[in-house]
PDB file of all heavy atoms in Angstrom:
ATOM      1  N   MET A 873     -26.188 -42.702  -3.553  1.00 39.00           N
ATOM      2  CA  MET A 873     -25.043 -41.986  -4.135  1.00 39.00           C
ATOM      3  C   MET A 873     -24.090 -41.538  -3.032  1.00 39.00           C
ATOM      4  O   MET A 873     -24.516 -41.011  -2.018  1.00 39.00           O
ATOM      5  CB  MET A 873     -25.544 -40.762  -4.891  1.00 39.00           C
ATOM      6  CG  MET A 873     -24.491 -40.156  -5.795  1.00 39.00           C
ATOM      7  SD  MET A 873     -25.171 -38.722  -6.650  1.00 39.00           S
ATOM      8  CE  MET A 873     -25.147 -37.504  -5.369  1.00 39.00           C
ATOM      9  N   HIS A 875     -20.659 -39.357  -1.793  1.00 52.00           N
ATOM     10  CA  HIS A 875     -19.912 -38.147  -2.151  1.00 52.00           C
ATOM     11  C   HIS A 875     -18.514 -38.485  -2.575  1.00 52.00           C
ATOM     12  O   HIS A 875     -17.776 -39.158  -1.885  1.00 52.00           O
ATOM     13  CB  HIS A 875     -19.905 -37.220  -0.931  1.00 52.00           C
ATOM     14  CG  HIS A 875     -19.018 -36.032  -1.147  1.00 52.00           C
ATOM     15  ND1 HIS A 875     -18.145 -35.601  -0.212  1.00 52.00           N
ATOM     16  CD2 HIS A 875     -18.900 -35.191  -2.207  1.00 52.00           C
ATOM     17  CE1 HIS A 875     -17.486 -34.556  -0.678  1.00 52.00           C
ATOM     18  NE2 HIS A 875     -17.943 -34.280  -1.877  1.00 52.00           N
ATOM     19  N   SER A 913     -21.308 -19.575  -1.840  1.00 98.00           N
ATOM     20  CA  SER A 913     -22.164 -20.778  -1.871  1.00 98.00           C
ATOM     21  C   SER A 913     -23.595 -20.468  -1.437  1.00 98.00           C
ATOM     22  O   SER A 913     -24.544 -21.001  -1.959  1.00 98.00           O
ATOM     23  CB  SER A 913     -21.581 -21.860  -0.971  1.00 98.00           C
ATOM     24  OG  SER A 913     -20.429 -22.406  -1.568  1.00 98.00           O
ATOM     25  N   ILE A 914     -23.721 -19.580  -0.452  1.00 98.00           N
ATOM     26  CA  ILE A 914     -25.073 -19.206  -0.022  1.00 98.00           C
ATOM     27  C   ILE A 914     -25.818 -18.500  -1.157  1.00 98.00           C
ATOM     28  O   ILE A 914     -26.986 -18.810  -1.465  1.00 98.00           O
ATOM     29  CB  ILE A 914     -25.022 -18.345   1.275  1.00 98.00           C
ATOM     30  CG1 ILE A 914     -24.571 -19.220   2.448  1.00 98.00           C
ATOM     31  CG2 ILE A 914     -26.400 -17.675   1.543  1.00 98.00           C
ATOM     32  CD1 ILE A 914     -24.459 -18.481   3.783  1.00 98.00           C
ATOM     33  N   SER A 917     -26.783 -21.030  -3.732  1.00 98.00           N
ATOM     34  CA  SER A 917     -27.894 -21.871  -3.332  1.00 98.00           C
ATOM     35  C   SER A 917     -29.233 -21.120  -3.556  1.00 98.00           C
ATOM     36  O   SER A 917     -30.189 -21.655  -4.096  1.00 98.00           O
ATOM     37  CB  SER A 917     -27.730 -22.266  -1.862  1.00 98.00           C
ATOM     38  OG  SER A 917     -28.847 -22.972  -1.426  1.00 98.00           O
ATOM     39  N   ILE A 926     -33.332 -26.418  -7.012  1.00 98.00           N
ATOM     40  CA  ILE A 926     -33.615 -26.994  -5.683  1.00 98.00           C
ATOM     41  C   ILE A 926     -34.876 -26.326  -5.135  1.00 98.00           C
ATOM     42  O   ILE A 926     -35.251 -25.237  -5.592  1.00 98.00           O
ATOM     43  CB  ILE A 926     -32.424 -26.786  -4.709  1.00 98.00           C
ATOM     44  CG1 ILE A 926     -32.063 -25.301  -4.543  1.00 98.00           C
ATOM     45  CG2 ILE A 926     -31.217 -27.572  -5.119  1.00 98.00           C
ATOM     46  CD1 ILE A 926     -30.986 -25.024  -3.491  1.00 98.00           C
ATOM     47  N   ASN A 927     -35.519 -26.982  -4.175  1.00 98.00           N
ATOM     48  CA  ASN A 927     -36.703 -26.371  -3.576  1.00 98.00           C
ATOM     49  C   ASN A 927     -36.339 -25.558  -2.320  1.00 98.00           C
ATOM     50  O   ASN A 927     -35.183 -25.597  -1.868  1.00 98.00           O
ATOM     51  CB  ASN A 927     -37.806 -27.403  -3.297  1.00 98.00           C
ATOM     52  CG  ASN A 927     -37.329 -28.447  -2.288  1.00 98.00           C
ATOM     53  OD1 ASN A 927     -36.573 -28.113  -1.347  1.00 98.00           O
ATOM     54  ND2 ASN A 927     -37.722 -29.706  -2.464  1.00 98.00           N
ATOM     55  N   GLN A 928     -37.310 -24.862  -1.778  1.00 98.00           N
ATOM     56  CA  GLN A 928     -36.997 -23.958  -0.650  1.00 98.00           C
ATOM     57  C   GLN A 928     -36.433 -24.702   0.546  1.00 98.00           C
ATOM     58  O   GLN A 928     -35.502 -24.243   1.195  1.00 98.00           O
ATOM     59  CB  GLN A 928     -38.265 -23.157  -0.291  1.00 98.00           C
ATOM     60  CG  GLN A 928     -38.103 -22.243   0.906  1.00 98.00           C
ATOM     61  CD  GLN A 928     -37.083 -21.100   0.714  1.00 98.00           C
ATOM     62  OE1 GLN A 928     -36.187 -21.198  -0.134  1.00 98.00           O
ATOM     63  NE2 GLN A 928     -37.197 -20.063   1.515  1.00 98.00           N
ATOM     64  N   SER A 929     -36.974 -25.935   0.794  1.00 98.00           N
ATOM     65  CA  SER A 929     -36.478 -26.615   2.007  1.00 98.00           C
ATOM     66  C   SER A 929     -35.028 -27.070   1.805  1.00 98.00           C
ATOM     67  O   SER A 929     -34.184 -27.008   2.704  1.00 98.00           O
ATOM     68  CB  SER A 929     -37.417 -27.744   2.399  1.00 98.00           C
ATOM     69  OG  SER A 929     -36.859 -28.990   2.153  1.00 98.00           O
ATOM     70  N   GLU A 930     -34.685 -27.475   0.549  1.00 98.00           N
ATOM     71  CA  GLU A 930     -33.286 -27.832   0.289  1.00 98.00           C
ATOM     72  C   GLU A 930     -32.378 -26.607   0.406  1.00 98.00           C
ATOM     73  O   GLU A 930     -31.290 -26.651   0.989  1.00 98.00           O
ATOM     74  CB  GLU A 930     -33.177 -28.419  -1.122  1.00 98.00           C
ATOM     75  CG  GLU A 930     -33.835 -29.784  -1.262  1.00 98.00           C
ATOM     76  CD  GLU A 930     -33.910 -30.275  -2.705  1.00 98.00           C
ATOM     77  OE1 GLU A 930     -34.181 -29.449  -3.624  1.00 98.00           O
ATOM     78  OE2 GLU A 930     -33.732 -31.486  -2.904  1.00 98.00           O
ATOM     79  N   ASN A 931     -32.870 -25.487  -0.109  1.00 98.00           N
ATOM     80  CA  ASN A 931     -32.117 -24.254  -0.029  1.00 98.00           C
ATOM     81  C   ASN A 931     -31.832 -23.895   1.439  1.00 98.00           C
ATOM     82  O   ASN A 931     -30.696 -23.582   1.808  1.00 98.00           O
ATOM     83  CB  ASN A 931     -32.927 -23.151  -0.722  1.00 98.00           C
ATOM     84  CG  ASN A 931     -32.304 -21.751  -0.605  1.00 98.00           C
ATOM     85  OD1 ASN A 931     -31.079 -21.632  -0.634  1.00 98.00           O
ATOM     86  ND2 ASN A 931     -33.130 -20.746  -0.424  1.00 98.00           N
ATOM     87  N   LEU A 932     -32.859 -23.973   2.251  1.00 98.00           N
ATOM     88  CA  LEU A 932     -32.675 -23.597   3.663  1.00 98.00           C
ATOM     89  C   LEU A 932     -31.747 -24.545   4.374  1.00 98.00           C
ATOM     90  O   LEU A 932     -30.930 -24.141   5.211  1.00 98.00           O
ATOM     91  CB  LEU A 932     -34.042 -23.540   4.396  1.00 98.00           C
ATOM     92  CG  LEU A 932     -34.953 -22.394   3.885  1.00 98.00           C
ATOM     93  CD1 LEU A 932     -36.311 -22.438   4.594  1.00 98.00           C
ATOM     94  CD2 LEU A 932     -34.293 -21.011   4.065  1.00 98.00           C
ATOM     95  N   LYS A 933     -31.829 -25.836   4.007  1.00 98.00           N
ATOM     96  CA  LYS A 933     -30.920 -26.834   4.592  1.00 98.00           C
ATOM     97  C   LYS A 933     -29.469 -26.502   4.256  1.00 98.00           C
ATOM     98  O   LYS A 933     -28.576 -26.536   5.109  1.00 98.00           O
ATOM     99  CB  LYS A 933     -31.227 -28.222   4.009  1.00 98.00           C
ATOM    100  CG  LYS A 933     -31.909 -29.146   4.957  1.00 98.00           C
ATOM    101  CD  LYS A 933     -31.893 -30.530   4.304  1.00 98.00           C
ATOM    102  CE  LYS A 933     -32.776 -31.471   5.052  1.00 98.00           C
ATOM    103  NZ  LYS A 933     -32.929 -32.739   4.363  1.00 98.00           N
ATOM    104  N   ILE A 934     -29.243 -26.207   2.987  1.00 98.00           N
ATOM    105  CA  ILE A 934     -27.889 -25.888   2.521  1.00 98.00           C
ATOM    106  C   ILE A 934     -27.368 -24.643   3.254  1.00 98.00           C
ATOM    107  O   ILE A 934     -26.244 -24.661   3.796  1.00 98.00           O
ATOM    108  CB  ILE A 934     -27.832 -25.664   0.994  1.00 98.00           C
ATOM    109  CG1 ILE A 934     -28.088 -26.987   0.254  1.00 98.00           C
ATOM    110  CG2 ILE A 934     -26.515 -25.054   0.534  1.00 98.00           C
ATOM    111  CD1 ILE A 934     -28.242 -26.899  -1.240  1.00 98.00           C
ATOM    112  N   ILE A 935     -28.204 -23.611   3.338  1.00 98.00           N
ATOM    113  CA  ILE A 935     -27.752 -22.347   3.964  1.00 98.00           C
ATOM    114  C   ILE A 935     -27.460 -22.576   5.449  1.00 98.00           C
ATOM    115  O   ILE A 935     -26.433 -22.130   5.963  1.00 98.00           O
ATOM    116  CB  ILE A 935     -28.802 -21.221   3.756  1.00 98.00           C
ATOM    117  CG1 ILE A 935     -28.875 -20.867   2.274  1.00 98.00           C
ATOM    118  CG2 ILE A 935     -28.446 -19.990   4.580  1.00 98.00           C
ATOM    119  CD1 ILE A 935     -29.891 -19.846   1.898  1.00 98.00           C
ATOM    120  N   ALA A 936     -28.352 -23.354   6.122  1.00 98.00           N
ATOM    121  CA  ALA A 936     -28.127 -23.613   7.561  1.00 98.00           C
ATOM    122  C   ALA A 936     -26.813 -24.370   7.736  1.00 98.00           C
ATOM    123  O   ALA A 936     -26.014 -24.077   8.637  1.00 98.00           O
ATOM    124  CB  ALA A 936     -29.315 -24.389   8.123  1.00 98.00           C
ATOM    125  N   GLY A 937     -26.585 -25.357   6.886  1.00 98.00           N
ATOM    126  CA  GLY A 937     -25.364 -26.152   6.978  1.00 98.00           C
ATOM    127  C   GLY A 937     -24.141 -25.273   6.777  1.00 98.00           C
ATOM    128  O   GLY A 937     -23.160 -25.364   7.514  1.00 98.00           O
ATOM    129  N   LEU A 938     -24.228 -24.407   5.778  1.00 98.00           N
ATOM    130  CA  LEU A 938     -23.076 -23.520   5.512  1.00 98.00           C
ATOM    131  C   LEU A 938     -22.801 -22.571   6.664  1.00 98.00           C
ATOM    132  O   LEU A 938     -21.659 -22.328   7.066  1.00 98.00           O
ATOM    133  CB  LEU A 938     -23.311 -22.729   4.215  1.00 98.00           C
ATOM    134  CG  LEU A 938     -23.221 -23.530   2.890  1.00 98.00           C
ATOM    135  CD1 LEU A 938     -23.790 -22.723   1.732  1.00 98.00           C
ATOM    136  CD2 LEU A 938     -21.785 -23.984   2.609  1.00 98.00           C
ATOM    137  N   ASN A 939     -23.888 -22.050   7.245  1.00 98.00           N
ATOM    138  CA  ASN A 939     -23.707 -21.148   8.387  1.00 98.00           C
ATOM    139  C   ASN A 939     -23.124 -21.852   9.590  1.00 98.00           C
ATOM    140  O   ASN A 939     -22.322 -21.284  10.332  1.00 98.00           O
ATOM    141  CB  ASN A 939     -25.055 -20.494   8.748  1.00 98.00           C
ATOM    142  CG  ASN A 939     -25.358 -19.309   7.834  1.00 98.00           C
ATOM    143  OD1 ASN A 939     -24.430 -18.635   7.345  1.00 98.00           O
ATOM    144  ND2 ASN A 939     -26.633 -19.083   7.531  1.00 98.00           N
ATOM    145  N   GLU A 940     -23.551 -23.125   9.744  1.00 98.00           N
ATOM    146  CA  GLU A 940     -22.992 -23.901  10.852  1.00 98.00           C
ATOM    147  C   GLU A 940     -21.453 -24.095  10.672  1.00 98.00           C
ATOM    148  O   GLU A 940     -20.683 -23.951  11.608  1.00 98.00           O
ATOM    149  CB  GLU A 940     -23.659 -25.280  10.863  1.00 98.00           C
ATOM    150  CG  GLU A 940     -23.661 -25.967  12.211  1.00 98.00           C
ATOM    151  CD  GLU A 940     -24.369 -27.320  12.123  1.00 98.00           C
ATOM    152  OE1 GLU A 940     -25.476 -27.388  11.580  1.00 98.00           O
ATOM    153  OE2 GLU A 940     -23.750 -28.311  12.561  1.00 98.00           O
ATOM    154  N   ILE A 941     -21.070 -24.388   9.418  1.00 98.00           N
ATOM    155  CA  ILE A 941     -19.650 -24.548   9.090  1.00 98.00           C
ATOM    156  C   ILE A 941     -18.903 -23.268   9.389  1.00 98.00           C
ATOM    157  O   ILE A 941     -17.834 -23.280  10.019  1.00 98.00           O
ATOM    158  CB  ILE A 941     -19.463 -24.969   7.609  1.00 98.00           C
ATOM    159  CG1 ILE A 941     -20.029 -26.361   7.382  1.00 98.00           C
ATOM    160  CG2 ILE A 941     -17.993 -24.869   7.187  1.00 98.00           C
ATOM    161  CD1 ILE A 941     -20.105 -26.795   5.929  1.00 98.00           C
ATOM    162  N   GLU A 944     -18.379 -22.879  13.039  1.00 97.00           N
ATOM    163  CA  GLU A 944     -17.345 -23.845  13.522  1.00 97.00           C
ATOM    164  C   GLU A 944     -15.954 -23.322  13.172  1.00 97.00           C
ATOM    165  O   GLU A 944     -15.039 -23.413  13.985  1.00 97.00           O
ATOM    166  CB  GLU A 944     -17.555 -25.203  12.898  1.00 97.00           C
ATOM    167  CG  GLU A 944     -18.693 -26.004  13.522  1.00 97.00           C
ATOM    168  CD  GLU A 944     -18.981 -27.313  12.792  1.00 97.00           C
ATOM    169  OE1 GLU A 944     -18.141 -27.725  11.949  1.00 97.00           O
ATOM    170  OE2 GLU A 944     -20.026 -27.905  13.060  1.00 97.00           O
ATOM    171  N   ILE A 963     -15.240 -27.695   2.621  1.00 95.00           N
ATOM    172  CA  ILE A 963     -16.553 -27.192   3.025  1.00 95.00           C
ATOM    173  C   ILE A 963     -17.647 -28.070   2.454  1.00 95.00           C
ATOM    174  O   ILE A 963     -18.595 -28.452   3.111  1.00 95.00           O
ATOM    175  CB  ILE A 963     -16.720 -25.696   2.613  1.00 95.00           C
ATOM    176  CG1 ILE A 963     -15.792 -24.859   3.494  1.00 95.00           C
ATOM    177  CG2 ILE A 963     -18.171 -25.257   2.711  1.00 95.00           C
ATOM    178  CD1 ILE A 963     -15.724 -23.380   3.200  1.00 95.00           C
ATOM    179  N   GLU A 964     -17.476 -28.481   1.179  1.00 94.00           N
ATOM    180  CA  GLU A 964     -18.476 -29.344   0.548  1.00 94.00           C
ATOM    181  C   GLU A 964     -18.572 -30.699   1.290  1.00 94.00           C
ATOM    182  O   GLU A 964     -19.677 -31.192   1.565  1.00 94.00           O
ATOM    183  CB  GLU A 964     -18.090 -29.592  -0.910  1.00 94.00           C
ATOM    184  CG  GLU A 964     -19.235 -30.257  -1.681  1.00 94.00           C
ATOM    185  CD  GLU A 964     -18.894 -30.450  -3.175  1.00 94.00           C
ATOM    186  OE1 GLU A 964     -18.204 -29.594  -3.735  1.00 94.00           O
ATOM    187  OE2 GLU A 964     -19.327 -31.457  -3.740  1.00 94.00           O
ATOM    188  N   SER A 965     -17.437 -31.219   1.674  1.00 95.00           N
ATOM    189  CA  SER A 965     -17.447 -32.502   2.345  1.00 95.00           C
ATOM    190  C   SER A 965     -18.106 -32.426   3.731  1.00 95.00           C
ATOM    191  O   SER A 965     -18.870 -33.301   4.122  1.00 95.00           O
ATOM    192  CB  SER A 965     -15.973 -32.980   2.434  1.00 95.00           C
ATOM    193  OG  SER A 965     -15.816 -33.875   3.472  1.00 95.00           O
ATOM    194  N   SER A 966     -17.830 -31.306   4.423  1.00 96.00           N
ATOM    195  CA  SER A 966     -18.451 -31.150   5.733  1.00 96.00           C
ATOM    196  C   SER A 966     -19.963 -30.967   5.583  1.00 96.00           C
ATOM    197  O   SER A 966     -20.776 -31.443   6.394  1.00 96.00           O
ATOM    198  CB  SER A 966     -17.821 -29.980   6.448  1.00 96.00           C
ATOM    199  OG  SER A 966     -18.595 -29.560   7.502  1.00 96.00           O
ATOM    200  N   LEU A 967     -20.343 -30.266   4.494  1.00 97.00           N
ATOM    201  CA  LEU A 967     -21.784 -30.038   4.257  1.00 97.00           C
ATOM    202  C   LEU A 967     -22.495 -31.389   4.047  1.00 97.00           C
ATOM    203  O   LEU A 967     -23.614 -31.590   4.530  1.00 97.00           O
ATOM    204  CB  LEU A 967     -21.959 -29.138   3.025  1.00 97.00           C
ATOM    205  CG  LEU A 967     -23.313 -28.497   2.816  1.00 97.00           C
ATOM    206  CD1 LEU A 967     -23.713 -27.603   3.991  1.00 97.00           C
ATOM    207  CD2 LEU A 967     -23.345 -27.683   1.520  1.00 97.00           C
ATOM    208  N   TYR A 968     -21.834 -32.323   3.364  1.00 96.00           N
ATOM    209  CA  TYR A 968     -22.383 -33.641   3.173  1.00 96.00           C
ATOM    210  C   TYR A 968     -22.661 -34.345   4.498  1.00 96.00           C
ATOM    211  O   TYR A 968     -23.707 -34.903   4.735  1.00 96.00           O
ATOM    212  CB  TYR A 968     -21.400 -34.531   2.370  1.00 96.00           C
ATOM    213  CG  TYR A 968     -21.772 -34.681   0.932  1.00 96.00           C
ATOM    214  CD1 TYR A 968     -21.210 -33.849  -0.022  1.00 96.00           C
ATOM    215  CD2 TYR A 968     -22.719 -35.629   0.535  1.00 96.00           C
ATOM    216  CE1 TYR A 968     -21.558 -33.977  -1.347  1.00 96.00           C
ATOM    217  CE2 TYR A 968     -23.065 -35.753  -0.793  1.00 96.00           C
ATOM    218  CZ  TYR A 968     -22.473 -34.912  -1.734  1.00 96.00           C
ATOM    219  OH  TYR A 968     -22.836 -35.013  -3.045  1.00 96.00           O
ATOM    220  N   THR A 969     -21.649 -34.208   5.379  1.00 96.00           N
ATOM    221  CA  THR A 969     -21.794 -34.878   6.687  1.00 96.00           C
ATOM    222  C   THR A 969     -22.996 -34.261   7.429  1.00 96.00           C
ATOM    223  O   THR A 969     -23.714 -34.968   8.135  1.00 96.00           O
ATOM    224  CB  THR A 969     -20.507 -34.660   7.498  1.00 96.00           C
ATOM    225  OG1 THR A 969     -19.409 -34.785   6.647  1.00 96.00           O
ATOM    226  CG2 THR A 969     -20.405 -35.609   8.655  1.00 96.00           C
ATOM    227  N   LYS A 970     -23.170 -32.978   7.265  1.00 97.00           N
ATOM    228  CA  LYS A 970     -24.219 -32.293   8.043  1.00 97.00           C
ATOM    229  C   LYS A 970     -25.624 -32.494   7.468  1.00 97.00           C
ATOM    230  O   LYS A 970     -26.556 -32.745   8.189  1.00 97.00           O
ATOM    231  CB  LYS A 970     -23.943 -30.772   8.116  1.00 97.00           C
ATOM    232  CG  LYS A 970     -22.735 -30.442   8.992  1.00 97.00           C
ATOM    233  CD  LYS A 970     -22.640 -28.941   9.147  1.00 97.00           C
ATOM    234  CE  LYS A 970     -21.322 -28.581   9.794  1.00 97.00           C
ATOM    235  NZ  LYS A 970     -21.008 -29.297  11.041  1.00 97.00           N
ATOM    236  N   ILE A 971     -25.763 -32.366   6.120  1.00 97.00           N
ATOM    237  CA  ILE A 971     -27.118 -32.381   5.562  1.00 97.00           C
ATOM    238  C   ILE A 971     -27.393 -33.503   4.556  1.00 97.00           C
ATOM    239  O   ILE A 971     -28.441 -33.560   3.942  1.00 97.00           O
ATOM    240  CB  ILE A 971     -27.451 -30.978   4.910  1.00 97.00           C
ATOM    241  CG1 ILE A 971     -26.539 -30.703   3.716  1.00 97.00           C
ATOM    242  CG2 ILE A 971     -27.352 -29.857   5.914  1.00 97.00           C
ATOM    243  CD1 ILE A 971     -26.940 -29.476   2.929  1.00 97.00           C
ATOM    244  N   GLY A 972     -26.386 -34.353   4.348  1.00 96.00           N
ATOM    245  CA  GLY A 972     -26.578 -35.484   3.458  1.00 96.00           C
ATOM    246  C   GLY A 972     -26.491 -35.110   2.000  1.00 96.00           C
ATOM    247  O   GLY A 972     -25.943 -34.064   1.625  1.00 96.00           O
ATOM    248  N   ASN A 973     -27.123 -35.973   1.159  1.00 96.00           N
ATOM    249  CA  ASN A 973     -26.923 -35.871  -0.299  1.00 96.00           C
ATOM    250  C   ASN A 973     -27.374 -34.574  -0.934  1.00 96.00           C
ATOM    251  O   ASN A 973     -26.906 -34.235  -2.015  1.00 96.00           O
ATOM    252  CB  ASN A 973     -27.644 -37.046  -0.959  1.00 96.00           C
ATOM    253  CG  ASN A 973     -26.698 -38.227  -1.052  1.00 96.00           C
ATOM    254  OD1 ASN A 973     -25.500 -38.092  -0.832  1.00 96.00           O
ATOM    255  ND2 ASN A 973     -27.233 -39.402  -1.348  1.00 96.00           N
ATOM    256  N   VAL A 974     -28.254 -33.841  -0.252  1.00 97.00           N
ATOM    257  CA  VAL A 974     -28.700 -32.586  -0.843  1.00 97.00           C
ATOM    258  C   VAL A 974     -27.518 -31.617  -1.060  1.00 97.00           C
ATOM    259  O   VAL A 974     -27.546 -30.751  -1.951  1.00 97.00           O
ATOM    260  CB  VAL A 974     -29.857 -31.939   0.016  1.00 97.00           C
ATOM    261  CG1 VAL A 974     -29.390 -31.564   1.388  1.00 97.00           C
ATOM    262  CG2 VAL A 974     -30.420 -30.733  -0.679  1.00 97.00           C
ATOM    263  N   ALA A 975     -26.470 -31.818  -0.263  1.00 97.00           N
ATOM    264  CA  ALA A 975     -25.261 -30.985  -0.412  1.00 97.00           C
ATOM    265  C   ALA A 975     -24.735 -31.067  -1.837  1.00 97.00           C
ATOM    266  O   ALA A 975     -24.187 -30.095  -2.380  1.00 97.00           O
ATOM    267  CB  ALA A 975     -24.183 -31.425   0.581  1.00 97.00           C
ATOM    268  N   GLY A 976     -24.916 -32.241  -2.455  1.00 95.00           N
ATOM    269  CA  GLY A 976     -24.372 -32.474  -3.807  1.00 95.00           C
ATOM    270  C   GLY A 976     -25.051 -31.598  -4.844  1.00 95.00           C
ATOM    271  O   GLY A 976     -24.507 -31.415  -5.954  1.00 95.00           O
ATOM    272  N   LYS A 977     -26.257 -31.054  -4.515  1.00 97.00           N
ATOM    273  CA  LYS A 977     -26.934 -30.241  -5.514  1.00 97.00           C
ATOM    274  C   LYS A 977     -26.349 -28.849  -5.647  1.00 97.00           C
ATOM    275  O   LYS A 977     -26.541 -28.152  -6.651  1.00 97.00           O
ATOM    276  CB  LYS A 977     -28.434 -30.120  -5.143  1.00 97.00           C
ATOM    277  CG  LYS A 977     -29.170 -31.428  -5.196  1.00 97.00           C
ATOM    278  CD  LYS A 977     -30.674 -31.206  -5.109  1.00 97.00           C
ATOM    279  CE  LYS A 977     -31.412 -32.523  -5.287  1.00 97.00           C
ATOM    280  NZ  LYS A 977     -32.855 -32.340  -5.221  1.00 97.00           N
ATOM    281  N   LEU A 978     -25.586 -28.452  -4.616  1.00 96.00           N
ATOM    282  CA  LEU A 978     -25.049 -27.076  -4.594  1.00 96.00           C
ATOM    283  C   LEU A 978     -24.079 -26.825  -5.744  1.00 96.00           C
ATOM    284  O   LEU A 978     -23.986 -25.687  -6.237  1.00 96.00           O
ATOM    285  CB  LEU A 978     -24.338 -26.838  -3.249  1.00 96.00           C
ATOM    286  CG  LEU A 978     -23.705 -25.467  -3.032  1.00 96.00           C
ATOM    287  CD1 LEU A 978     -24.725 -24.351  -3.161  1.00 96.00           C
ATOM    288  CD2 LEU A 978     -23.027 -25.398  -1.660  1.00 96.00           C
ATOM    289  N   HIS A 979     -23.418 -27.852  -6.183  1.00 93.00           N
ATOM    290  CA  HIS A 979     -22.393 -27.642  -7.213  1.00 93.00           C
ATOM    291  C   HIS A 979     -22.956 -27.692  -8.647  1.00 93.00           C
ATOM    292  O   HIS A 979     -22.200 -27.595  -9.610  1.00 93.00           O
ATOM    293  CB  HIS A 979     -21.261 -28.648  -7.012  1.00 93.00           C
ATOM    294  CG  HIS A 979     -19.891 -28.086  -7.349  1.00 93.00           C
ATOM    295  ND1 HIS A 979     -19.444 -26.894  -6.811  1.00 93.00           N
ATOM    296  CD2 HIS A 979     -18.910 -28.534  -8.140  1.00 93.00           C
ATOM    297  CE1 HIS A 979     -18.224 -26.657  -7.270  1.00 93.00           C
ATOM    298  NE2 HIS A 979     -17.889 -27.637  -8.104  1.00 93.00           N
TER     299      HIS A 979
END
Side-chain angles (χ1 to χ4, degrees):
M873 193 180 76
H875 172 225
S913 287
I914 290 178
S917 175
I926 57 175
N927 62 36
Q928 176 64 338
S929 108
E930 291 171 321
N931 175 37
L932 293 177
K933 253 191 191 173
I934 291 173
I935 293 176
L938 288 168
N939 279 328
E940 205 181 309
I941 293 171
E944 281 174 14
I963 290 176
E964 190 178 325
S965 156
S966 165
L967 195 61
Y968 258 96
T969 321
K970 290 188 190 308
I971 64 172
N973 272 347
V974 63
K977 294 192 176 181
L978 179 59
H979 215 51

